[in-house]
Amino acid sequence: MPTIHHGLEGIAVAETVLSSVDGERGELIIAGYPVEELAPNASFEQVIYLLWNDRLPDDADLEAFRGELAAQREIPPATLDLLRSAAAARMETMDALRMAAGTLDLGIGAIAGDDDALGAMIVARFATIVAAYWRLKRGEEPVSPRADLDHAANMLYMLTGREPSAASARALETYLNTVVDHGLNASTFTARVITSTGSDLTSAIVGAVGALKGPLHGGAPGPALDMVFEIGDVARAEEYLRAKIERGERLMGFGHRVYKVRDPRADVLGAATERLRSAGGDPEGVYELARGVERIALELLEEYKPGRRLQTNVEFYTALLLHLLEIPTELFTPTFAAGRVAGWVAHCREQRRRNRIIRPQSVYVGERGRRWEVEVG
Ligand SMILES: CC(C)(COP(=O)(O)OP(=O)(O)OC[C@H]1O[C@@H](n2cnc3c(N)ncnc32)[C@H](O)[C@@H]1OP(=O)(O)O)[C@@H](O)C(=O)NCCC(=O)NCCS
């Protein structure tokens, strides 16, 4: 009888050149670059190009790729109509994104079957869908994309209707770069499974959105921030956090299944948040409050759970950074999707290049020997 690996934990099922996650060393490498170096310095366009081509673009490549993405930002009228209906029905943003993503190859004409062009279109339009849906849900009209802005700056522009400061655009760009790929997580695996059957890119991406939507994957950056706001004042943090731990509750934004030392993405986003604050992006002083809460939480986790190596996770700083960018809690997972979609596309292309259908086994543990009784008469 084959051994069962519940959750496939520890089982390698693909070779990849896209990213390497080392939880013991607290290391994330994206296409050869440590995330700490790549994410705060590269543009999102550069990172996508890197993932899709295994090299950074030269100036001419970058210009062409930027133009290609910018030209694909408008969503088809039918997609917009669907978003209007979803907004009227008050659907969750991830559900709207899933439905809208499935319509993206409407009218693709010449690029049908061209995974490179289709991938660029999907990445370009994810940001438009998220921003348009958010505005529609609040009773506002979507803001048309601007081709002269970079991807991240344009996403903020479409959300708010205002051209963002360079510091805000840089902060979102750093976020998108940080979350663009992370080994064979559940949504990426889903995309690869779908691709492995010979199915199309859009189907793989829709499946990945569905996997990401689940709370065990999409995470819960919202509650980490809610906790910080509920505490409200660093002076109250210890009493609040102690009571929470003693009730057996978990502190949101701390601990990680894979990273048993500090999550490198938390560091990158922490530094990005600090830079945004220094550029005047935190008028309410949320950063100071969150840092204070973090410090006390880490002390208490060490006191109550010694040796468990519980560190601040990516959700904590995601929540803080996106909040400072005025991105509401409801958009945290969709914004994550707007970054990760470039990684999904990269994995689909990689899977297609060296494909073998992903077809694991199951072990039957049900009844045997049941007999179908034929009624007589
Ligand atoms: C992410 C998470 C599920 C990882 O879980 P895990 O690797 O299975 O960790 P374990 O369940 O083995 O935890 C080890 C110990 O630390 C405790 N612990 C783990 N995370 C904790 C947290 N955030 N707050 C308080 N205690 C925590 C567990 O209760 C356990 O204690 P015990 O040994 O006395 O039973 C867990 O850390 C968690 O629930 N974190 C909070 C939610 C969160 O931020 N989620 C987003 C993750 S990206």
Side-chain angles (χ1 to χ4, degrees):
M1 196 162 91
T3 314
I4 302 178
H5 301 274
H6 291 285
L8 292 179
E9 214 164 311
I11 303 294
V13 298
E15 283 180 327
T16 184
V17 298
L18 300 170
S19 65
S20 162
V21 181
D22 186 333
E24 279 302 320
R25 286 159 62 182
E27 188 182 80
L28 169 60
I29 292 170
I30 296 178
Y33 295 90
V35 68
E36 296 87 341
E37 286 179 33
L38 188 71
N41 296 311
S43 67
F44 189 47
E45 283 84 346
Q46 281 176 305
V47 170
I48 305 172
Y49 191 98
L50 170 68
L51 283 176
W52 293 1
N53 299 282
D54 200 29
R55 67 172 176 86
L56 282 171
D58 62 25
D59 290 349
D61 294 332
L62 184 58
E63 211 36 53
F65 186 57
R66 225 188 230 132
E68 185 184 354
L69 280 180
Q72 302 271 19
R73 287 181 182 146
E74 294 277 358
I75 52 177
T79 306
L80 195 56
D81 285 348
L82 182 138
L83 291 179
R84 286 187 199 282
S85 305
R90 312 300 302 155
M91 304 209 57
E92 294 284 328
T93 310
M94 284 302 283
D95 291 323
L97 178 61
R98 174 194 24 93
M99 292 191 295
T103 67
L104 284 183
D105 35 14
L106 274 171
I108 49 174
I111 65 168
D114 176 347
D115 267 7
D116 289 5
L118 204 53
M121 184 201 74
I122 290 172
V123 171
R125 292 184 181 174
F126 255 49
T128 312
I129 292 171
V130 173
Y133 187 65
W134 176 242
R135 293 184 67 90
L136 287 169
K137 216 174 165 188
R138 286 183 309 165
E140 294 170 351
E141 272 306 293
V143 170
S144 295
R146 261 176 55 181
D148 60 317
L149 296 175
D150 278 356
H151 189 82
N154 176 61
M155 184 169 177
L156 286 172
Y157 169 71
M158 290 188 298
L159 277 166
T160 63
R162 282 176 279 117
E163 190 172 328
S165 68
S168 296
R170 179 64 255 176
L172 181 61
E173 195 149 49
T174 301
Y175 172 73
L176 297 174
N177 291 345
T178 301
V179 301
V180 71
D181 202 49
H182 201 240
L184 211 53
N185 56 84
S187 58
T188 301
F189 183 54
T190 303
R192 286 189 82 129
V193 170
I194 294 173
T195 304
S196 83
T197 68
S199 186
D200 64 295
L201 188 62
T202 311
S203 298
I205 299 303
V206 172
V209 172
L212 178 63
K213 189 196 151 187
L216 295 184
H217 179 15
L225 194 65
D226 293 344
M227 192 181 79
V228 169
F229 283 134
E230 224 175 290
I231 292 171
D233 183 341
V234 181
R236 290 191 51 230
E238 182 174 345
E239 189 191 341
Y240 176 102
L241 295 171
R242 224 177 248 290
K244 206 169 166 65
I245 298 176
E246 285 181 6
R247 284 196 302 271
E249 292 175 24
R250 296 199 169 192
L251 306 186
M252 291 297 147
F254 298 89
H256 195 276
R257 192 130 290 163
V258 178
Y259 290 113
K260 294 305 170 195
V261 292
R262 198 162 161 83
D263 183 339
R265 299 170 302 170
D267 278 346
V268 172
L269 297 182
T273 312
E274 163 68 41
R275 277 193 295 275
L276 187 58
R277 186 193 69 100
S278 308
D282 182 18
E284 292 159 19
V286 182
Y287 178 81
E288 284 302 318
L289 170 65
R291 275 287 204 203
V293 169
E294 178 192 22
R295 184 174 44 77
I296 294 165
L298 289 175
E299 281 167 18
L300 293 177
L301 286 171
E302 190 47 43
E303 180 186 327
Y304 284 91
K305 308 281 173 188
R308 307 302 207 293
R309 302 194 285 171
L310 300 171
Q311 298 289 337
T312 317
N313 64 38
V314 67
E315 310 287 357
F316 188 86
Y317 280 105
T318 293
L320 191 55
L321 184 72
L322 297 186
H323 173 77
L324 295 190
L325 289 173
E326 295 171 51
I327 294 178
T329 313
E330 195 187 325
L331 290 193
F332 286 0
T333 306
T335 306
F336 178 94
R340 181 57 60 85
V341 64
W344 292 334
V345 171
H347 276 272
C348 292
R349 292 159 58 128
E350 191 173 62
Q351 180 69 36
R352 221 186 279 296
R353 275 198 298 275
R354 287 184 61 186
N355 191 46
R356 184 176 171 87
I357 187 166
I358 299 173
R359 173 58 172 97
Q361 288 179 29
S362 51
V363 173
Y364 180 71
V365 295
E367 291 291 326
R368 288 182 192 275
R370 284 176 172 157
R371 287 285 175 272
W372 186 261
E373 301 289 343
V374 181
E375 283 185 31
V376 185

